[in-house]
């Protein structure tokens, strides 16, 4: 039984392999059993196929491997591969993939490794690529759900509702694709090395969205709205559409033109996109 979550073990591994943390790869390893367990419990991986992005030395992977059907871990850092091979070598249901997650072909992976079955994603995300990873997962071959650790302020934006201070284009994007639930906040003190920012674990359950909505136009609208979030929605969208077209569309969907981007719900944005598209 390995205790990969123990700071002592991490230090021993570092000495043994000459491993050094890379700041540019977002390496802050979890060294607290309680939080490892919280993530694994929330992810609910029993008999499931799981992809873990950025396993580090395999701390979360190790605990999931005991429960899951199969665990694929995707790690970019060359120097962590021999460590993962050693730490996870006893599990026949673990496969280590040495690759940049942003270059992974998830379609191919899921077909080859999971026989096309459903899968989950679990990750203490490398924060420097949080949004591209989430976009790739949500818009491509999607998991059924993702249990992810992100910067607290990013989590706050993902969870925000209209009229909340943190409500942003990311909030609307997440709402379109998923039901987001906060699992726990995570203090800086449970990482090695200790980061400057607090973190939050979230669970995103992906759901069926309305395929008829023109998503490119929807998100262009949302982005334009929030780019000028201090202006009224009429003014902030006037780079995209003439003001009289917008005024008519607002009237049709029941939006007050003096509102701002932060006052509009996902449904408001969808209705507006549909009405503007039907012109
Ligand atoms: N899962 C471990 C834990 O919780 O202790 C490590 C998490 S650490 C925050 C992020 C991990 O992502 C590191 O192992 C890092 O090397 C890896 N990583 C960074 N960029 C990556 C990329 N583009 N593709 C795959 N892994 C990446």
């Amino acid at each position: 039984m390995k205790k990969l979550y123990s700071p002592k073990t991490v230090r021993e591994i570092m000495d043994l392999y000459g491993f050094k943390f890379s700041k540019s790869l977002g390496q802050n390893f979890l060294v607290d059993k309680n939080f490892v367990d919280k993530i694994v419990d929330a992810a609910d991986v029993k008999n499931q196929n799981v992809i873990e992005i950025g396993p580090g030395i395999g701390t979360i992977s190790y605990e999931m491997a005991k429960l899951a059907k199969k665990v694929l871990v995707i790690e970019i850092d060359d120097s962590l591969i021999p460590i993962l091979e050693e730490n996870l070598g006893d599990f026949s249901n673990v496969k280590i993939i040495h690759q940049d997650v942003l270059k992974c072909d998830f379609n191919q992976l899921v077909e080859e490794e999971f026989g096309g079955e459903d899968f989950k994603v679990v990750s203490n995300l490398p924060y420097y690529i949080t949004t591209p990873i989430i976009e790739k997962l949500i818009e491509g071959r999607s998991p059924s759900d993702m249990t992810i650790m992100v910067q607290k302020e990013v989590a706050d934006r993902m969870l925000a509702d209209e009229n909340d201070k943190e409500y942003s284009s990311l909030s609307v994007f997440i709402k379109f694709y998923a039901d987001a639930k906060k699992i726990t906040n995570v203090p800086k003190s449970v990482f090695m090395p200790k980061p400057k920012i607090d973190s939050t674990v979230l669970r995103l359950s992906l759901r069926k969205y309305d395929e008829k909505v023109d998503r490119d136009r929807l998100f262009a609208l949302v982005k334009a709205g929030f780019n000028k979030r201090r202006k009224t929605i009429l003014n902030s969208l006037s780079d995209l559409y003439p003001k009289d077209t917008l005024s008519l569309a607002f009237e049709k969907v029941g939006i007050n033109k003096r509102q701002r981007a932060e006052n509009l719900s996902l449904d408001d944005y969808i209705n507006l996109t549909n009405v503007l598209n039907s012109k």
Side-chain angles (χ1 to χ4, degrees):
M1 189 83 148
K2 293 184 173 127
K3 290 186 178 172
L4 300 175
Y5 47 79
S6 140
K8 184 168 163 267
T9 311
V10 177
R11 272 190 292 273
E12 281 167 7
I13 289 174
M14 292 181 77
D15 287 348
L16 192 64
Y17 289 86
F19 174 77
K20 288 192 175 63
F21 290 110
S22 157
K23 211 172 174 182
S24 61
L25 289 178
Q27 291 178 343
N28 299 95
F29 295 171
L30 201 48
V31 286
D32 184 298
K33 171 89 164 72
N34 184 27
F35 282 98
V36 173
D37 288 348
K38 278 190 184 173
I39 293 171
V40 176
D41 285 351
D44 198 13
V45 295
K46 198 163 189 324
N47 300 325
Q48 301 290 313
N49 297 308
V50 185
I51 294 182
E52 186 189 355
I53 298 164
I57 61 167
T59 312
I60 302 171
S61 346
Y62 187 90
E63 301 305 320
M64 292 198 294
K66 296 180 195 164
L67 304 165
K69 183 171 176 186
K70 189 160 184 183
V71 182
L72 295 186
V73 301
I74 304 173
E75 177 55 62
I76 197 172
D77 186 348
D78 305 353
S79 58
L80 286 169
I81 302 303
I83 301 176
L84 285 166
E85 284 168 350
E86 167 63 26
N87 288 345
L88 303 175
D90 290 341
F91 294 104
S92 58
N93 61 342
V94 173
K95 181 155 178 183
I96 299 162
I97 296 170
H98 181 195
Q99 213 183 350
D100 176 348
V101 67
L102 295 178
K103 296 196 177 130
C104 272
D105 181 339
F106 276 95
N107 252 325
Q108 195 185 341
L109 263 187
V110 171
E111 287 307 323
E112 283 177 8
E113 303 295 339
F114 301 146
E117 289 176 357
D118 277 358
F119 68 104
K120 293 173 177 249
V121 163
V122 176
S123 182
N124 171 7
L125 283 170
Y127 292 167
Y128 72 105
I129 44 172
T130 301
T131 314
I133 293 179
I134 291 177
E135 283 175 355
K136 184 178 167 107
L137 287 167
I138 279 186
E139 290 175 332
R141 177 72 178 246
S142 303
S144 53
D145 55 76
M146 310 185 214
T147 303
I148 49 173
M149 175 141 45
V150 299
Q151 285 171 249
K152 185 179 172 298
E153 60 161 44
V154 174
D156 289 343
R157 279 196 276 136
M158 287 183 177
L159 291 162
D161 292 320
E162 60 269 24
N163 303 321
D164 287 350
K165 187 163 66 47
E166 297 85 3
Y167 192 56
S168 66
S169 53
L170 182 63
S171 327
V172 184
F173 178 81
I174 294 292
K175 274 183 205 311
F176 185 77
Y177 289 105
D179 292 313
K181 184 177 154 214
K182 177 171 165 175
I183 304 298
T184 181
N185 286 334
V186 188
K188 305 176 185 82
S189 55
V190 300
F191 296 95
M192 217 172 129
K194 201 160 119 183
K196 290 198 176 74
I197 37 154
D198 289 318
S199 302
T200 297
V201 178
L202 293 181
R203 180 168 160 145
L204 303 181
S205 304
L206 278 85
R207 56 181 156 78
K208 288 236 171 309
Y209 53 84
D210 186 352
E211 303 258 359
K212 292 197 289 289
V213 180
D214 183 330
R215 286 181 283 159
D216 288 342
R217 290 199 187 210
L218 168 67
F219 294 122
L221 205 71
V222 172
K223 220 169 158 191
F226 282 98
N227 271 346
K228 295 182 180 164
R229 61 184 297 151
R230 291 288 121 224
K231 297 201 168 183
T232 64
I233 193 71
L234 180 69
N235 282 329
S236 60
L237 297 185
S238 61
D239 289 347
L240 296 182
Y241 297 93
K243 280 191 176 172
D244 49 349
T245 306
L246 286 169
S247 294
L248 271 176
F250 290 161
E251 221 166 276
K252 271 196 176 164
V253 300
I255 293 173
N256 179 334
K257 62 183 178 191
R258 277 180 293 273
Q259 287 185 303
R260 294 177 179 163
E262 66 208 29
N263 307 123
L264 272 52
S265 67
L266 169 64
D267 281 347
D268 288 334
Y269 282 111
I270 291 176
N271 292 339
L272 198 54
T273 305
N274 289 340
V275 167
L276 288 166
N277 262 4
S278 66
K279 298 265 166 227

